[in-house]
Amino acid sequence: MHASGSPGRRPRLTPPIADVRRAVRDALAGLDGAGLDGEGPDAAGEADADPRLGGLVLVGLSGGADSLALAAATAFEAPRAGIRAGAVIVDHGLQAGSADVAETAAAQATALDLDPVIVIRVEVAASDGGPEASARSARFAAFDRAMADAGAGHIVLAHTLDDQAETVLLGLARGSGPTSLRGMAPETGPYLRPLLGIRRATTRRFCADSGLVPWEDPHNTDPTFTRVRVRNTVLPVLEAELGPGVAEALARTAEQLREDSDALDDLALEWALELTSQDADGAVALDVRGLAADPPALRQRIIRLVVANEFGVSLERVHTLAVADLITDWHGQKALTLPGVRVVRQNGLLIFTPA
């Protein structure tokens, strides 16, 4: 099948098509086809599959321009990298006709020769994080399920440079610190994001040049969503007032902060192993004197890292600073009871126990 869906017609290799394909090719180049899921097509019993192809990746496909361009590029590049490619479509059920949108996206994936094509309907529960966070949680749970069911090793996501810029700007506005400002990584566990260096306008041109018709999500123009206001109002104002290139600058900032953050995380982990002890009851202790000698950035990372790894709790900055005060401003304070963890200073140790 041809990407355009018209037999005998091949899409012109325009710069947008070449750019998106190249980004996907680079992302897939580091994957070992046979090691993506531990099974080749023959082991899965697919007698009609190309025996030269190894593991499986799934494209997260919504039907929008970004994910449709990604799906078409992956369908083209994956076989050339010795990798099988399928698609997973998540129907969030948040809009009238969402099942029809999912069905159309599935048909487009099939026309691109992606296989398997998996459609999952999810329930988006209300949460304190709002509808966007709830939908994201439901979507990633569906992705995990699809990978397990299909035996896939990776899911390829269609986040673009514009998405990265919006993420960094939102993190700045919320004062979220380096965790948010580092943006999205090109690879996070099984999730690949080949298009972080590609503008949204390029994916739209890719679809037009390939004869693909993307779905226009009405949520993308709904100003009740914060990200939509950033996309359609805040970033254009910044571009108009500061000059072009703001999105690219924000994406570069994320990349630089990610490098710095990764280095600090490695140092924090290495030093935390030296400072930490644990007893049979599950209490975790950190040496106060060792922490006091550290610069604040490293000390606070160690506190967050230990609490996250041992208790599964993500401390907010105000909580981390309260724990740090037990080290740098000690005057006999009582124990701190924080979300999910209790902290007390005793005998030169910070002792953490479940709250």
Side-chain angles (χ1 to χ4, degrees):
M1 299 288 290
H2 296 287
S4 66
S6 301
R9 175 173 170 249
R10 297 176 61 87
R12 295 176 294 113
L13 192 60
T14 62
I17 293 176
D19 289 346
V20 175
R21 283 184 181 176
R22 186 181 305 111
V24 170
R25 186 185 317 138
D26 291 344
L28 297 180
L31 304 181
D32 176 3
L36 284 170
D37 59 0
E39 296 182 351
D42 293 338
E46 298 175 23
D48 58 344
D50 187 337
R52 296 171 299 171
L53 302 187
L56 173 67
V57 298
L58 298 174
V59 179
L61 178 61
S62 69
D66 298 340
S67 66
L68 193 55
L70 177 65
T74 303
F76 182 87
E77 294 293 342
R80 289 158 178 79
I83 296 169
R84 295 163 53 221
V88 54
I89 297 106
V90 179
D91 176 7
H92 297 85
L94 295 175
Q95 304 174 40
S98 64
D100 294 335
V101 172
E103 184 180 344
T104 299
Q108 289 173 312
T110 300
L112 290 166
D113 288 336
L114 294 170
D115 181 44
V117 176
I118 303 165
V119 179
I120 300 177
R121 174 71 180 256
V122 298
E123 295 286 337
V124 179
S127 74
D128 293 338
E132 292 171 274
S134 298
R136 183 182 186 280
S137 295
R139 181 165 59 253
F140 275 86
F143 287 159
D144 288 343
R145 194 170 101 206
M147 279 193 289
D149 290 347
H154 291 80
I155 287 193
V156 192
L157 302 176
H159 296 115
T160 65
L161 186 148
D162 297 80
D163 295 311
Q164 184 78 296
E166 292 159 13
T167 298
V168 175
L169 200 53
L170 284 166
L172 280 170
R174 292 166 178 161
S176 303
T179 300
S180 289
L181 299 186
R182 62 182 285 150
M184 296 173 283
E187 182 173 355
T188 308
Y191 296 101
L192 306 177
R193 299 178 178 89
L195 304 187
L196 288 179
I198 300 291
R199 295 301 303 262
R200 190 173 290 131
T202 300
T203 65
R204 298 192 73 85
R205 290 198 298 269
F206 180 109
C207 290
D209 292 348
S210 300
L212 298 168
V213 180
W215 171 56
E216 301 294 343
D217 184 352
H219 280 175
N220 287 338
T221 57
D222 184 348
T224 61
F225 294 104
T226 304
R227 184 176 286 271
V228 171
R229 296 196 298 274
V230 168
R231 177 180 305 160
N232 295 338
T233 302
V234 178
L235 271 172
V237 167
L238 289 175
E239 293 272 358
E241 296 297 328
L242 302 179
V246 170
E248 288 85 354
L250 289 167
R252 287 196 303 272
T253 297
E255 185 176 6
Q256 292 164 10
L257 283 171
R258 192 160 52 250
E259 292 171 354
D260 293 347
S261 184
D262 287 344
L264 277 172
D265 283 345
D266 289 343
L267 284 173
L269 178 59
E270 182 179 341
W271 191 220
L273 293 174
E274 297 289 331
L275 299 176
T276 304
S277 59
Q278 190 165 9
D279 65 22
D281 295 326
V284 178
L286 281 171
D287 179 71
V288 168
R289 186 169 55 182
L291 287 170
D294 292 329
L298 185 56
R299 177 167 56 241
Q300 287 150 208
R301 276 177 186 271
I302 292 171
I303 292 168
R304 290 196 300 270
L305 180 67
V306 167
V307 171
N309 286 353
E310 299 296 336
F311 303 98
V313 174
S314 296
L315 292 181
E316 296 181 10
R317 179 170 173 80
V318 64
H319 300 140
T320 306
L321 293 177
V323 176
D325 281 345
L326 297 179
I327 304 164
T328 60
D329 189 25
W330 173 245
H331 47 270
Q333 297 99 308
K334 295 181 179 180
L336 292 172
T337 301
L338 305 175
V341 66
R342 182 178 183 270
V343 193
V344 64
R345 175 169 170 163
Q346 291 178 352
N347 303 322
L349 298 171
L350 283 186
I351 300 174
F352 298 80
T353 54

